[in-house]
Amino acid sequence: MSDLADQTLYSLRGLLETGQCSAREAAADLIARIRERDGEIRAYVHLDEESVLRQAAAADAARARGEGGELLGLPVAVKDVLNVKGDPCACASRMLKGYVAPYDATAVSALRAAGAVLAGRTNMDEFAMGSSTENSAFFATRNPWNLDCVPGGSSGGSAAAVAAGEALAALGSDTGGSVRQPAAFCGCVGLKPTYGRISRYGLTAFASSLDQIGPITRDVRDAAMLLKAMAVPDPLDSTSVDVPAPDYMAALGERLDGLRLGLPREFFSDGLDPEVNRCVLTAIELCRKLGASVVDVSLPMAPHAIATYHIIACAEASSNLARFDGVRYGFRAGGANDPVELCCRTRAAGFGPEVKRRIILGAYVLSSGYYDAYYVRALKVRTLIRRDFDRAFASCDALLSPVTPTAAYRLGEKIQDPLQMYLGDLYTIPANLAGICALAVPCGMTGTALPVGMQIMGPAFREEIPLRVGHAYQQATDWHLRRAPRHGKAGQAAP
Ligand code: GLN
């Protein structure tokens, strides 16, 4: 059977269950697709074909014995920031080049336990800092919809792989939008679960109070499937919360009757591209037709989210990345005469410019004399942002907005201007600061055939609500069924 790489996880599961194909055939098809396309897209930093085929064959054998979990034989790619035992885990950094993970992240072992095949490591911005995947120390990834454009970031390799048919689904991590934004730029679904929903054990830390692992998939049902498998409480992460995960698949339906959806006015303000605005408003109108009521709400502190985020995230990053000292992990610079020099030389040569910028900013806001003025104040603003969401969710079940103010931009366009790059995260960051869940779903295309995403934010530990809204929307639309062009550039998108 051909084109197994174009299936959703759910549809491939059906084919496997009815014996129409084997997991090994699906894996072989996927590898062939990666060989065909990745020279151009560059979504992967590592692929062990033998391992993928071996895991798939083991899944087939398990099925033949009548064993296996919900994801038996289904391939999932993994961002280079998550530990997969035996695979390199470099976080797209020179600092960790050649580092091989000695253990599985809990999210990864949960997928393994459900029978999934772990299929390749995807490119990212170095240590997940960035919005375009151009900060990778290895190479940039291209957007399958237009090879001159960025795929978004920091999980750009994961989103590009799913969009290019080089992965059925992939894991990303989202500290300020890194699952949702690349999903939106590449026409995929991206879910940032509630902080605490999926264990962060084995996820290389960027900003520990904000980081969450999330799936990037072709549709909402697949995101629900992967979330269910990974939403397990974990004693190895003290912030993982033991709130029982409902049956997310059972919560999906075709109608939205009785749901109250809020439009935060601050998310439809100046700087929002008119085409993105039009696509999102059209999608919201459809949600109304599906039975939801739509009301305006306000999140007055949201405009302060970017500044607050960059203080908190950089402060945490400066502390988390202190461990890369040339002694314990990965890269070590030569020529040092003493340990301090060794550390300085290693960090100077091992980290790229964006990572250094953030470490310096983080060390600054934590330094004596500035700690209260910046870091403590940012924590207070974070509390106010969270309270805004509490108030909004008292009258609404979910909040709708664009994922990003613009569609994907051109490679090189913003890389010299970090502030412009940061401003692109203004709609995604608030959900991380508040610790709530948020889903990105494709909801239209620009005139130049680039995907546009809608964000559906839900209260903490209520992922079933955004999933329900997103799924009902997908039952009534076909944006998620469109595929990036196989060859060529913008304007040639397949219908
Ligand atoms: N783009 C944001 C940043 O640069 C978010 C990154 C992320 O979520 N990992 O920090």
Side-chain angles (χ1 to χ4, degrees):
M1 180 174 285
S2 65
D3 288 342
L4 293 172
D6 292 319
Q7 302 291 321
T8 61
L9 296 177
Y10 184 80
S11 64
L12 179 60
R13 183 168 80 177
L15 296 175
L16 292 169
E17 280 171 357
T18 51
Q20 292 176 70
C21 73
S22 68
R24 203 169 182 291
E25 282 166 341
D29 213 55
L30 186 64
I31 289 168
R33 179 67 64 79
I34 295 170
R35 284 188 180 172
E36 173 197 328
R37 291 228 65 191
D38 208 48
E40 170 170 78
I41 305 291
R42 309 208 76 187
Y44 284 90
V45 295
H46 176 78
L47 177 71
D48 180 344
E49 297 182 0
E50 282 306 308
S51 157
V52 175
L53 292 170
R54 211 177 323 112
Q55 293 174 65
D60 287 331
R63 188 178 303 280
R65 293 192 301 271
E67 297 166 3
E70 291 283 300
L71 304 176
L72 188 61
L74 304 181
V76 180
V78 180
K79 185 180 180 180
D80 200 32
V81 72
L82 279 151
N83 282 272
V84 176
K85 188 174 179 181
D87 268 2
C89 181
C91 302
S93 179
R94 190 168 144 70
M95 189 60 101
L96 280 173
K97 197 162 190 277
Y99 176 76
V100 175
Y103 67 102
D104 275 340
T106 299
V108 168
S109 56
L111 293 185
R112 267 197 220 278
V117 171
L118 299 164
R121 311 306 308 266
T122 55
N123 199 18
M124 55 185 279
D125 287 296
E126 183 177 6
F127 285 108
M129 299 176 189
S131 307
S132 66
T133 310
E134 293 165 293
N135 292 334
S136 167
F138 303 151
F139 43 79
T141 297
R142 292 172 184 274
N143 189 316
W145 292 91
N146 181 334
L147 300 177
D148 293 331
C149 289
V150 302
S154 61
S155 314
S158 288
V162 173
E166 294 184 47
L168 281 72
L171 296 190
S173 64
D174 191 313
T175 306
S178 281
V179 162
R180 291 161 286 159
Q181 184 258 23
F185 276 13
C186 291
C188 307
V189 167
L191 173 65
K192 185 204 91 69
T194 307
Y195 183 79
R197 180 51 102 188
I198 297 178
S199 167
R200 292 179 295 108
Y201 180 73
L203 167 67
T204 312
F206 162 13
S208 311
S209 78
L210 299 158
D211 298 340
Q212 254 300 286
I213 295 164
I216 295 178
T217 56
R218 298 217 164 103
D219 67 14
V220 171
R221 186 158 40 197
D222 280 6
M225 264 168 86
L226 289 180
L227 177 64
K228 180 69 185 163
M230 294 188 288
V232 284
D234 181 11
L236 298 172
D237 171 7
S238 61
T239 63
S240 114
V241 178
D242 191 1
V243 175
D247 181 349
Y248 297 112
M249 300 281 268
L252 307 178
E254 292 191 356
R255 297 278 310 167
L256 297 175
D257 299 289
L259 272 190
R260 296 158 307 168
L261 304 177
L263 308 187
R265 99 173 46 102
E266 293 78 6
F267 287 53
F268 293 86
S269 54
D270 297 347
L272 175 56
D273 177 87
E275 281 190 298
V276 174
N277 189 34
R278 178 181 47 76
C279 293
V280 175
L281 291 181
T282 306
I284 291 166
E285 193 44 42
L286 182 61
C287 291
R288 204 199 301 266
K289 292 204 181 98
L290 294 171
S293 57
V294 178
V295 293
D296 284 330
V297 296
S298 177
L299 299 169
M301 295 304 283
H304 303 295
I306 294 183
T308 308
Y309 167 85
H310 277 278
I311 292 172
I312 294 173
C314 291
E316 294 182 16
S318 74
S319 159
N320 276 326
L321 272 58
R323 74 190 67 173
F324 301 107
D325 53 9
V327 177
R328 284 170 290 183
Y329 304 94
F331 175 72
R332 175 183 297 176
N337 296 313
D338 60 63
V340 172
E341 196 186 347
L342 170 74
C343 179
C344 292
R345 280 174 179 251
T346 296
R347 289 168 71 81
F351 289 134
E354 181 63 25
V355 174
K356 285 182 190 158
R357 187 155 37 234
R358 299 209 188 191
I359 291 174
I360 291 168
L361 185 74
Y364 178 81
V365 300
L366 291 175
S367 59
S368 101
Y370 298 101
Y371 183 86
D372 289 329
Y374 292 107
Y375 183 65
V376 172
R377 185 172 296 183
L379 293 181
K380 289 179 180 164
V381 178
R382 181 178 189 175
T383 301
L384 297 178
I385 290 171
R386 189 182 291 131
R387 283 192 197 146
D388 277 357
F389 278 101
D390 289 345
R391 254 191 304 275
F393 286 127
S395 59
C396 301
D397 299 297
L399 303 173
L400 303 184
S401 78
V403 180
T404 53
T406 67
Y409 38 87
R410 299 175 93 73
L411 282 149
E413 192 177 323
K414 297 197 183 179
I415 194 69
Q416 301 304 338
D417 189 347
L419 189 58
Q420 277 311 313
M421 188 85 88
Y422 300 165
L423 290 174
D425 299 329
L426 82 170
Y427 303 141
T428 49
I429 281 174
N432 300 80
L433 288 169
I436 60 171
C437 58
L439 179 72
V441 291
C443 74
M445 304 285 285
T446 66
T448 52
L450 288 168
V452 172
M454 170 164 70
Q455 177 170 233
I456 309 163
M457 294 172 276
F461 298 104
R462 298 301 306 276
E463 284 82 359
E464 66 277 13
I465 301 175
L467 290 169
R468 176 181 165 200
V469 176
H471 181 75
Y473 176 75
Q474 291 193 333
Q475 297 315 294
T477 55
D478 66 357
W479 299 112
H480 62 294
L481 301 176
R482 304 196 181 202
R483 294 288 169 257
R486 278 291 173 88
H487 299 287
K489 302 193 174 180
Q492 299 173 5

